[in-house]
Amino acid sequence: MSTTGASADPLAALGSLPGVAESVESVRRAVDRVYGHRIMRRRSNEITSEAALRGARGSAALSGADWALEEVRRRTDFSGEEEARTVGAALRLTAEAGQLLSIWRQSPLRVLARLHLVAAAGRSEEVGRPRQDGEPVDEPLIGLPLPDAEEVAARLEGLSQLIITGSQAPALVTAAVVHGELLALRPFGSHNGLVARAAERIVLVGSGLDPKSICPAEVGHAEQGRAAYVAALEGYASGTAEGMAAWIAHCGRAVELGVRESTAVCEALQRGAA
């Protein structure tokens, strides 16, 4: 992560980039609207469960397993072909993320290691630790230059310290930086995209912006498409003010699309209860 100038709170400094304040405000209004929906007073647990399923489906789609929602809902065995394993990993991560909220602010690196362990399901000795030089990375969607192990370690530590120290930055900004940094670094040998999107979810929920986890940004990332996702990430990786602002706006739009998805679920439940 880079910023346009030195700051004691570099995450907060990103909030002053052109267009970011507007994205933050637009996201907050959208989130407030869905939380104010009348069905949330009685059936919020159902909305949370449905958002988790749809978020996992969206995250898996971005990692190459673009299954229909009903297929994800129906399937019980995810141990077969590669796409099934990807969907299974996304579902496990979505379930696990909610258990790690209390640990995130004290030990984000421990949480990231746990997320990778859950995603990879212990398939190799490299699971749950950052990669070493010379170890391959299986992340075909992301074509950015791959940082070496020394840079990965340093930037992970810097990100960890930012989270532990805390910031005045809006939740959207912090979530976007965590997501973008993990994708740019690809610190693990596999499942980096799934882990990055799960970490974004943890920030959005743990910050209080989306405490019931009903605004699945993964849905919005998938809906905007892989090409837009990669282009926005390239902007983040450039470190320019314009590129960083574009990535944050892309993440904000993803949250808003996630809100739209859950609003539709609320409306469907309300019609069914009428």
Side-chain angles (χ1 to χ4, degrees):
M1 181 187 71
S2 63
T3 60
T4 54
S7 171
D9 189 348
L11 291 178
L14 295 176
S16 65
L17 293 177
V20 170
E22 291 83 353
S23 293
V24 168
E25 182 57 29
S26 181
V27 165
R28 181 163 294 282
R29 287 198 303 267
V31 172
D32 287 346
R33 283 195 299 271
V34 72
Y35 269 84
H37 196 287
R38 59 184 298 181
I39 207 73
M40 284 292 295
R41 292 195 295 269
R42 296 179 287 111
R43 303 179 71 174
S44 64
N45 288 342
E46 293 174 68
I47 309 301
T48 296
S49 296
E50 191 64 22
L53 183 71
R54 294 175 185 230
R57 193 218 71 82
S59 191
L62 282 172
S63 288
D66 192 0
W67 286 16
L69 179 63
E70 290 312 311
E71 175 65 11
V72 178
R73 197 190 304 278
R74 179 193 67 81
R75 184 74 73 96
T76 57
D77 180 9
F78 298 95
S79 62
E81 72 277 14
E82 183 176 352
E83 284 195 5
R85 292 197 299 271
T86 297
V87 175
L91 289 167
R92 290 193 301 274
L93 282 174
T94 300
E96 186 72 15
Q99 309 302 313
L100 299 172
L101 294 171
S102 63
I103 306 172
W104 174 253
R105 285 294 300 272
Q106 286 73 44
S107 186
L109 296 184
R110 178 181 164 196
V111 169
L112 294 176
R114 174 62 184 170
L115 289 174
H116 187 244
L117 183 67
V118 168
R123 288 184 173 271
S124 72
E125 64 182 15
E126 292 83 15
V127 166
R129 66 157 175 80
R131 58 183 168 82
Q132 300 172 3
D133 282 333
E135 291 181 346
V137 174
D138 180 16
E139 200 68 47
L141 175 64
I142 308 302
L144 295 171
L146 195 65
D148 62 27
E150 183 177 357
E151 181 179 351
V152 168
R155 287 172 63 176
L156 280 179
E157 181 60 31
L159 183 64
S160 175
Q161 287 306 310
L162 286 175
I163 299 301
I164 292 170
T165 302
S167 171
Q168 296 301 308
L172 173 64
V173 172
T174 303
V177 167
V178 168
H179 185 171
E181 193 73 354
L182 292 174
L183 279 179
L185 293 178
R186 283 145 291 161
F188 304 109
S190 64
H191 300 90
N192 289 286
L194 294 175
V195 169
R197 291 184 288 275
E200 179 186 49
R201 173 183 285 269
I202 287 173
V203 174
L204 293 171
V205 174
S207 67
L209 176 64
D210 180 23
K212 293 184 182 293
S213 194
I214 62 167
C215 307
E218 305 96 323
V219 168
H221 287 303
E223 187 169 334
Q224 292 178 91
R226 287 191 186 188
Y229 188 66
V230 171
L233 176 63
E234 289 173 350
Y236 173 86
S238 74
T240 65
E242 182 181 31
M244 297 286 281
W247 170 250
I248 294 168
H250 182 88
C251 291
R253 180 59 178 158
V255 175
E256 291 185 65
L257 290 169
V259 167
R260 188 176 72 179
E261 187 87 353
S262 287
T263 300
V265 173
C266 287
E267 295 293 336
L269 288 175
Q270 184 168 284
R271 288 193 299 271

